[in-house]
Amino acid sequence: MKKISILLSLLVILVFLLAACGGDEATEAPADVPEEAEEEPEAEPEMADQLEIFSWWTAGGEADGLLAMYDVFSAQHPDIEIINATVAGGAGSNAKAVLATRMQAGDPPDSFQVHAGHELIDSWVVADAMEPVTFIFEENGWLESYPPGVIEVLSHEGEIWSVPVNIHRSNVLWYNTAVFEDNGLEVPVSFDDFFAAAETLSAAGITPLALGDNGIWASTHLMEDVLLGALGPEAYRGLWTGETKWGSPEVTTALNTFARMMEYANEDHAALSWDQAAQLVADGDAAMTIMGDWAEGYFLSIGMEPEVDFGWAPSPSTPGTFMMLSDTFGLPAGAPHRDSAVAWLTVAGSKEGQDAFNPLKGSIPARTDGDRELYDAYLQSAMDDFASNEITPSVAHGAAASEGWVTAINDVMTFFTADLDVVAAQEGMIAACEDAAVCEEGDTIVVGEDTLTDIGTEAHPIKVLFVPSVDVDFMIESGDLIEQALNEATGLVYEVSVPSSYPATIEEMCASPDDTIGFLPAMGYALANRVCGVEPGLASVRYGWNVYFAEFIARRDSGIDTLADLEGKTWGYGETSSTSGFLVPSALLNELGITTGEMVETGGHTPTVNAVYNGEVDFGTVFFSPPLLPEGEWQEGDPPDIPDELVPECGLNDEGKLWCGGYRVLDARQTISEQAPDVVQVVKIVDISQGIPNDTMSFGSDFPEELKQMIIEAVIAFVQSDERCLESLCNPQFYEWTDASLIYDENFDTIRLMMEEQGITLENIGQ
Ligand code: GAL
């Protein structure tokens, strides 16, 4: 909250600075702001022949429309001098603060621009700052000339409080026709269409979406259209009455969608105004912009032709709904030139005034009797839609909510556009509604399917980390394939990387517990689990198993039958760094309190088997792979060796493979079977360890459960049936996965024991 109030003060200061500098070059008579609000305004003699109109219409199109209406006025009242008091900044982002200061100081303009709805009523009417204008409607017979719905949003306690000059539509997507044609694009109807088009455009090096939110209202504007698309008209309306919960999953979806859209927006959006963003589209540097139809006024003002140079459609997923706002002019209580003001309002509300103004402004008349022929193809389509669509009120432009609430939403958007933190934004929106006293306290974010966070969106990709092992370039290349395949299978967005070391990988998973996946070997998993609760998902399967084992072997004639018999015996092993060849057996022996005799490092699994076979050592430790059985499958807990009665039959078959009756030997003994086909007759398995998991795919401790399940399924399918696996996970040069299956934390107990024995920690792992 503190941050927000600091920001607000900064904004207010900025507004003062802008106002003090005159703000905008196009302003003919910059609004003057008293330096001290408390100071009494200088008493000016009232000049009957003046009229000060206050607005923020300075950009192409809007300024032209205003001048056209001034022309109508001047033709009727040549004796009245118009003072065009404008403060630049779309949606009144600067003007409203200047107006507020003037009104407070008792220095109102003769008439000012104000949006129909809450902005008019809550800010000015209930504050007794306005004079009703019902009499103007009555005198001119206008009560029949305006749609009842429009009159309603201008009314309070039986009076009408301002004169509407137009109806604007907020939910319009504008696009550059040539850019769309060149890229073979259809006009997007839904969010999916939009993102598909955005992808194509990105790939072609064109900014998909132009945004100019140096006035943050432009992002609020985009947000309202995204909310409408995600919620539909009824639930959208409910947001402003308290009926729709801001904590609902639909709002989360909308926020996620917005965050995803931002990934396709021009990077300098915070430096541009709405019309500069429209110019990007005009220039073909960007393909689309989502903006109110004053953008059409802007396009017309720079000589573009509707349907030829630019096209339009309802913003994504909003066809059939017209997000509406209306610019109106009011009569402030104590207007210095009240008669001029009444004359102005009479022109502004007239058919002639509106038909001069709106075709240039890019809006349709608020009156029902506008001359359709004067309006171009876009505006005619807007007239038709306004007459037939569902109507929803714009929040960015004052129709839906009070200015205080809009300001709070703008503040949320200031942070959200910078950090794309969906949860924080949703919390901010909930608080804003509560502060506006429309929502009851206690609304919280409701977790819905896949909507908890933005994890897995462009804005917040899931990080996939590989422990550096094989060639890093190869890993990154294959990482791209995995990224693609996972994206296709789950619709989520991933980012593969290879951190610089084993501990760095674990640290990254710990630092980012809700969005990381690590391909960790068993020891890495056990450590990461201990350090920060990383959870197992899958382990790779090789030869049907997602675990492997260590075995203790000895000569059948050695008299060694159990591990206890190994006390004092000579021990052959490959190397001290080998998990199945040394680390695991040594931990088991220590745990049993068995002290062996001499230890002989043989260099590998094969020499160890040889050393046992030749009687150079009493026993050896090597890898165990379960035998293939004549029927069924070997299960953990089954005897590891070939049944005694079949041992005499063991030997090489025609293909040189070691078989014993129907059993095929796959453990380390088979590595010397060529030179020693009787290896099974000579060397037996004394015992084996518990299963040691193969390399894993593990998840950060706070990884959203639904996403995890979805990803696990996708990876299993990828390994089982996607050709791209052969170029990545399944490649023998890489991880050589032949399949993948679920693995559980208890499967790592043996490895934990071993690491404890060895004193393996995050600091010394891999050394
Ligand atoms: C809106 C206003 C429009 C247009 C736009 C950009 O709030 O209603 O008329 O001027 O801001 O400035």
Side-chain angles (χ1 to χ4, degrees), residues 56-57 62 90-91 113 115 168 217 274 294 325 327 361 397:
W56 58 82
W57 287 333
E62 54 184 28
Q113 175 190 0
H115 286 125
H168 263 308
W217 67 272
W274 70 267
W294 45 94
L325 60 123
D327 293 307
K361 179 71 171 75
H397 307 280

Side-chain angles (χ1 to χ4, degrees), residues 76-142:
Q76 292 177 21
H77 305 280
D79 51 328
I80 302 179
E81 179 202 358
I82 296 176
I83 301 168
N84 186 26
T86 53
V87 177
S93 45
N94 302 319
K96 286 180 193 170
V98 174
L99 176 69
T101 310
R102 285 188 57 175
M103 296 287 279
Q104 255 169 32
D107 176 30
D110 294 313
S111 183
F112 62 84
Q113 175 190 0
V114 59
H115 286 125
H118 284 269
E119 187 177 309
L120 166 71
I121 307 295
D122 300 0
S123 300
W124 303 117
V125 176
V126 297
D128 274 343
M130 307 302 282
E131 233 191 89
V133 294
T134 322
F135 70 96
I136 305 181
F137 276 73
E138 284 166 355
E139 278 168 18
N140 292 284
W142 289 346

Side-chain angles (χ1 to χ4, degrees), residues 254-547:
L255 292 167
N256 276 323
T257 305
F258 181 94
R260 196 170 161 202
M261 276 186 169
M262 290 298 285
E263 292 298 305
Y264 293 104
N266 45 305
E267 277 177 13
D268 61 351
H269 60 89
L272 304 187
S273 57
W274 70 267
D275 45 320
Q276 286 172 322
Q279 186 65 46
L280 290 180
V281 176
D283 293 341
D285 292 332
M288 304 176 264
T289 190
I290 292 175
M291 187 38 67
D293 40 16
W294 45 94
E296 128 115 341
Y298 179 77
F299 290 140
L300 298 178
S301 80
I302 56 171
M304 292 173 82
E305 246 189 83
E307 286 178 317
V308 178
D309 303 313
F310 67 91
W312 62 88
S315 62
S317 297
T318 70
T321 303
F322 190 109
M323 182 79 88
M324 170 216 162
L325 60 123
S326 169
D327 293 307
T328 76
F329 282 87
L331 182 59
H337 311 97
R338 186 181 177 281
D339 291 347
S340 304
V342 171
W344 159 251
L345 294 174
T346 307
V347 168
S350 70
K351 178 167 151 49
E352 195 190 351
Q354 298 203 0
D355 279 345
F357 170 73
N358 286 302
L360 301 173
K361 179 71 171 75
S363 41
I364 58 175
R367 298 174 62 102
T368 49
D369 58 358
D371 184 351
R372 192 178 165 93
E373 294 309 301
L374 297 172
Y375 293 82
D376 65 21
Y378 165 72
L379 291 168
Q380 290 189 6
S381 79
M383 288 174 173
D384 296 342
D385 287 352
F386 185 60
S388 61
N389 280 195
E390 289 257 10
I391 308 293
T392 52
S394 158
V395 66
H397 307 280
S402 68
E403 278 194 273
W405 191 0
V406 178
T407 304
I409 291 175
N410 283 338
D411 288 342
V412 172
M413 294 307 295
T414 300
F415 288 103
F416 187 37
T417 49
D419 61 18
L420 300 182
D421 182 337
V422 169
V423 175
Q426 193 159 10
E427 279 166 356
M429 294 295 195
I430 291 171
C433 185
E434 288 173 358
D435 291 348
V438 170
C439 298
E440 283 174 20
E441 302 272 325
D443 185 10
T444 50
I445 300 174
V446 178
V447 181
E449 262 188 45
D450 301 339
T451 56
L452 175 60
T453 65
D454 61 345
I455 291 169
T457 63
E458 290 284 345
H460 190 165
I462 294 167
K463 295 179 208 133
V464 180
L465 311 172
F466 286 105
V467 172
S469 58
V470 290
D471 179 2
V472 171
D473 288 342
F474 178 78
M475 289 180 87
I476 294 194
E477 235 171 75
S478 17
D480 285 345
L481 296 174
I482 296 170
E483 202 174 282
Q484 259 177 34
L486 285 179
N487 173 268
E488 282 164 27
T490 60
L492 301 169
V493 183
Y494 303 82
E495 205 172 72
V496 170
S497 66
V498 185
S500 59
S501 68
Y502 210 136
T505 310
I506 295 172
E507 270 157 25
E508 190 160 345
M509 291 192 79
C510 290
S512 214
D514 61 353
D515 60 3
T516 42
I517 297 178
F519 282 81
L520 300 173
M523 273 203 270
Y525 164 76
L527 270 179
N529 171 266
R530 192 173 75 207
V531 179
C532 63
V534 163
E535 290 171 7
L538 295 172
S540 66
V541 172
R542 292 190 197 90
Y543 312 108
W545 285 87
N546 73 357
V547 290

Side-chain angles (χ1 to χ4, degrees), residues 7 82 122 145 148 165 184 188 243 246-247 249 274 330 416 427 471 514 589 631 637 654 688 702:
L7 191 87
I82 296 176
D122 300 0
S145 314
V165 288
E243 261 161 70
W246 280 93
W274 70 267
F416 187 37
E427 279 166 356
D471 179 2
D514 61 353
L589 293 173
E631 265 173 39
D654 294 348
I688 60 170
D702 294 339

Side-chain angles (χ1 to χ4, degrees), residues 210-222:
L211 175 66
D213 64 352
N214 69 359
I216 194 62
W217 67 272
S219 276
T220 303
H221 183 117
L222 178 58

